[in-house]
Every structure is written in structure tokens, then in C-alpha cells.
Amino acid sequence: MVVNTSIRYAEGAQGTARNSTDTVRRIYCRTSADAAGNESVRCFAVSAANVSATCVSALPAHVRSAQSAGDASFIYFTWDVNGVCQSIDVLKGSHLEPKAP
């Protein structure tokens, strides 16, 4: 899990964060919609060193990318100086650690 606030990116595997021995690491993206059908996404990450980052976006492509994540996905996101997501990448693959039972 990496959270780099200097160049504004965060990345990590959800399964690896969930299975870590500490209670600090986490990474996720949350999507939501209001009554008018406006959708948005908020991504959040915390490293083992307790460095955190978040970004928000209402771009439909960002929302769709975040919605494709599963509980064992690798998430990479970037943001601008205002905390607006610039990219949200989701990777699913057999090489990623699944969430332990």
C-alpha cells in the first residue's frame, strides 16, 4: 500500500490491506447516487504509516471504474490539488491476494 501525498497518488490491493496484521491500512472507492440520479465516487486510502488520501469525482467514467472493483481488486487513484480525482484504475487478477475468511 502506497499513499504519496507529494505527487498525489495512492495504490494498493484490497485483499492485502484487509489481511494485514495492522488495523491501519485500507483502500476503497465508494460510489453513491442522489434522488436526481447524480452519481459520484470517493476514493480513500491509508498506508501502514497512517498517511491518508482521498479524492472525489462525478465523472461517469470514474464512477464506472470504481464500480468494477471487487473485494480483491487493486486500486490506483490520483488527485489534483483540490482533491478531485484525476484517474481511478481498478485491476482484477488471479495474482492478487484474496480477502481472508
Side-chain angles (χ1 to χ4, degrees), residues 12-75:
Q14 291 179 288
T16 302
R18 173 73 177 184
N19 298 336
S20 69
T21 56
D22 63 62
T23 59
V24 178
R25 283 181 265 190
R26 67 189 74 148
I27 189 164
Y28 63 83
C29 292
R30 176 182 180 176
T31 59
S32 60
D34 63 20
N38 301 306
E39 295 180 302
S40 63
V41 60
R42 175 183 175 258
C43 291
F44 180 74
V46 181
S47 71
N50 206 25
V51 177
S52 65
T54 189
C55 71
V56 295
S57 176
L59 283 174
H62 287 164
V63 173
R64 284 192 309 274
S65 184
Q67 287 172 332
S68 74
D71 63 0
S73 296
F74 184 92
I75 297 173

Side-chain angles (χ1 to χ4, degrees), residues 79-97:
W79 62 93
D80 68 13
V81 295
N82 297 312
V84 176
C85 300
Q86 297 300 294
S87 66
I88 300 173
D89 298 321
V90 174
L91 171 66
K92 298 182 210 176
S94 62
H95 63 290
L96 295 172
E97 178 180 8

